[in-house]
Amino acid sequence: MEDKSAIQEMNETASRRKSEKLAEAVKLVNEAICEERARLEKIASTDEQSPIMVEGYTEAGCYCQLMVDPKIVAKIFLRHDYPTWKILEEDFPDGMWNELNREVGLQTTCGADL
């Protein structure tokens, strides 16, 4: 009976450690998302910034690089929860790129140097 309680205690300790590690990982990810969101919110609320480059293709299929107000791009990225996708290293939603395309007049966007 003592062996069973010792094993059970070891399992509970291991489970508690896993939970603590998971909680710490979630905390770190949330902090990184909050930092990225704060960075974009600052850009979105600041006037008189240097333009950024947005790369993509026109309707004619020509590659181009456009200089764009970073405030516009930051607002679009915030609307589509860009910080979460970026930190989790997931694909960004098509809706975000489509909105950016409409805003800057491109057919498709390859990237934005924000």
Side-chain angles (χ1 to χ4, degrees):
M1 188 109 133
E2 287 180 30
D3 289 336
K4 185 177 181 184
S5 62
I7 292 172
Q8 185 177 6
E9 186 177 322
M10 285 174 35
N11 287 339
E12 288 172 359
T13 300
S15 178
R16 189 170 40 255
R17 285 184 184 152
K18 281 183 183 178
S19 293
E20 289 169 358
K21 286 180 181 180
L22 179 60
E24 182 62 27
V26 169
K27 179 183 171 192
L28 292 172
V29 168
N30 283 335
E31 286 173 357
I33 290 170
C34 288
E35 286 174 14
E36 180 64 16
R37 182 174 307 284
R39 184 183 77 82
L40 289 177
E41 287 171 347
K42 182 178 178 185
I43 292 169
S45 65
T46 303
D47 293 326
E48 305 290 325
Q49 300 177 70
S50 297
I52 63 164
M53 187 177 302
V54 174
E55 300 175 79
Y57 291 88
T58 65
E59 288 185 27
C62 297
Y63 174 79
C64 68
Q65 297 173 326
L66 302 173
M67 299 308 287
V68 179
D69 182 355
K71 190 174 188 174
I72 293 168
V73 178
K75 286 179 180 181
I76 292 170
F77 282 13
L78 285 167
R79 275 195 291 276
H80 293 276
D81 207 22
Y82 172 87
T84 301
W85 300 108
K86 179 182 178 189
I87 298 304
L88 296 178
E89 297 180 353
E90 294 290 331
D91 291 338
F92 303 115
D94 290 338
M96 181 183 83
W97 294 121
N98 293 338
E99 185 177 347
L100 183 58
N101 292 337
R102 285 189 303 275
E103 187 67 38
V104 300
L106 293 173
Q107 179 68 33
T108 58
T109 303
C110 302
D113 189 19
L114 188 60

